[in-house]
Amino acid sequence: MIVVVLACNLFIGCKKDAPEIVTSDQGKPGEVLGADTLGYDSVDVFISGAEYVALNKWNACYWKNGAMHILDTDHSVANDIIVSEDNVIVGGEFEGKPCYWENGKRIGIDDRTGKVKAVGFHKGELYLVGELYDENENISKAFVWNKATRILDSGYASDIAFSDGNVYISGMDSKNPCYWRNGIKTKLSGNFGHGYAIEVAENNVYIAGEYRPTNGGHYLAGYWKNGEFISPLGNSAYIINIGIRSGDVYILGSEVDSKNADSVEDNAVVVKGNKKTVLSAGKNSVSGAADIAFDGENEYVLGSYSLISGPDRAPHTCYWQNGKLHTVGKSQTVGTAILLNPRVSQGK
């Protein structure tokens, strides 16, 4: 799922119990681990994203264990990635149109302006979700694609999950955060808001997002569990993704750090229950988290960082493995989703 890390001011006072804070084991910013060192014994690390070219032009790409694979050289962005039977499938947009790439071959799915935000496989079939722009009505519309495009509502679809034969899609209708279960919409709030990501585990539906408790007010960030909103960080954070492991809920994004009166900086954060982990690339940087994946007890948090000063202040794609920073490739890139694919043991 695409999640673009933004610096957001979300101050205003909803008091919450302060989470326990843990600071990450910072690696060395700018130290790039190559294709021969990024892989691990048990998994291959896939990351979808894009490389900045020039004049607001991006090239869709993905990385496998740190090696970049360019998907298109015209303006394009890769927003999500899955691997099925050694087939690498990436969803995104090409020249403003929704598409996906299968093993590097681009396949367009609709002639309207739009984008694929998330991809998934269910019962052997490919599903894509995202948004399309309706020129006649001058609005964006949420869609799901499975061999054909089906409009869900006005707004957008952001993520997809499957459980017990059911298809769950998060997003937003004309103004409300919501999700669709087999095409039937459930509103999460009557106020303006967003549903950014969805997970379903043990019959519980979790959606990361935000909403405004009052019209025109500031957002509260957090997640809904079966319709109940939980906000561990109040409105100091921008929460854009969620992960579930062994019943534990992880939410992630970026949080404003205003301790320095001369500047307001963002740091990537992951919150598990009442424990907040701050992930950074050092004192001379800002960072944000975009996605999370698990391999046993190992946690991989995808994100980006930028140096505040110095010659190279462009964004760097990175991930933190159990809190340790790994820079992926060169600068001027964005990572949108991370996938861990189990390796087949050789000679065993």
Side-chain angles (χ1 to χ4, degrees):
M1 181 199 78
I2 185 165
V3 275
V4 180
V5 178
L6 302 173
C8 295
N9 252 325
L10 300 171
F11 290 112
I12 198 165
C14 177
K15 294 184 178 179
K16 294 284 181 181
D17 293 336
E20 175 191 356
I21 300 175
V22 177
T23 303
S24 66
D25 174 21
Q26 298 166 2
K28 297 179 180 179
E31 180 183 14
V32 178
L33 302 184
D36 58 337
T37 60
L38 266 177
Y40 292 88
D41 290 340
S42 60
V43 294
D44 289 316
V45 180
F46 289 84
I47 297 171
S48 60
E51 176 188 26
Y52 182 72
V53 181
L55 301 175
N56 203 31
K57 177 183 175 183
W58 296 79
N59 288 161
C61 68
Y62 74 89
W63 293 265
K64 178 182 178 182
N65 298 332
M68 176 184 281
H69 301 262
I70 297 295
L71 293 167
D72 259 303
T73 54
D74 292 317
H75 179 68
S76 53
V77 177
N79 294 330
D80 199 10
I81 186 167
I82 59 175
V83 177
S84 176
E85 297 180 351
D86 295 326
N87 296 310
V88 179
I89 299 173
V90 183
E93 61 178 291
F94 172 79
E95 296 290 355
K97 309 290 185 182
C99 70
Y100 69 96
W101 293 265
E102 184 169 357
N103 298 326
K105 179 182 179 182
R106 176 174 22 93
I107 301 168
I109 65 169
D110 202 288
D111 291 331
R112 287 169 285 186
T113 299
K115 64 186 71 175
V116 172
K117 292 189 172 184
V119 301
F121 250 101
H122 181 55
K123 296 182 178 179
E125 295 187 353
L126 178 64
Y127 283 76
L128 313 171
V129 300
E131 64 180 284
L132 294 170
Y133 181 70
D134 190 316
E135 294 183 354
N136 294 325
E137 299 183 36
N138 195 30
I139 59 172
S140 292
K141 294 188 175 181
F143 79 86
V144 56
W145 182 94
N146 172 233
K147 300 179 181 177
T149 301
R150 182 163 64 93
I151 299 297
L152 295 167
D153 207 326
S154 57
Y156 64 79
S158 59
D159 197 12
I160 190 166
F162 310 99
S163 179
D164 295 331
N166 299 303
V167 180
Y168 295 82
I169 299 169
S170 59
M172 175 189 181
D173 61 16
S174 58
K175 65 174 184 177
N176 304 115
C178 65
Y179 72 93
W180 295 267
R181 179 179 180 268
N182 301 328
I184 299 174
K185 181 175 67 175
T186 297
K187 285 189 178 183
L188 296 166
S189 171
N191 291 357
F192 190 85
H194 300 273
Y196 292 129
I198 190 166
E199 294 283 348
V200 182
E202 298 180 351
N203 297 319
N204 296 308
V205 181
Y206 303 87
I207 296 116
E210 60 188 6
Y211 81 104
R212 288 174 174 167
T214 59
N215 290 330
H218 291 255
Y219 286 105
L220 279 180
Y223 68 98
W224 288 269
K225 178 182 178 182
N226 300 327
E228 177 187 359
F229 192 69
I230 302 167
S231 182
L233 300 179
N235 51 15
S236 67
Y238 183 56
I239 298 300
I240 54 178
N241 218 328
I242 191 167
I244 309 294
R245 180 176 66 174
S246 301
D248 292 322
V249 180
Y250 296 73
I251 56 174
L252 58 143
S254 58
E255 185 181 27
V256 173
D257 179 4
S258 60
K259 294 178 181 178
N260 185 343
D262 297 327
S263 65
V264 176
E265 300 173 1
D266 285 88
N267 284 319
V269 291
V270 177
V271 180
K272 172 189 172 185
N274 198 43
K275 179 182 177 181
K276 178 180 76 173
T277 300
V278 178
L279 300 168
S280 76
K283 295 181 179 179
N284 186 39
S285 67
V286 294
S287 61
D291 197 10
I292 191 167
F294 306 102
D295 173 43
E297 294 300 312
N298 296 310
E299 299 173 10
Y300 294 71
V301 179
L302 173 68
S304 65
Y305 70 86
S306 298
L307 301 180
I308 299 172
S309 60
D312 185 6
R313 285 180 276 178
H316 295 70
T317 297
C318 66
Y319 67 85
W320 293 267
Q321 185 198 9
N322 301 328
K324 183 176 181 180
L325 176 69
H326 298 266
T327 303
V328 181
K330 55 186 177 180
S331 63
Q332 301 196 75
T333 61
V334 59
T336 55
I338 188 168
L339 171 75
L340 306 179
N341 194 49
R343 284 186 174 181
V344 177
S345 299
Q346 301 294 323
K348 295 183 180 180

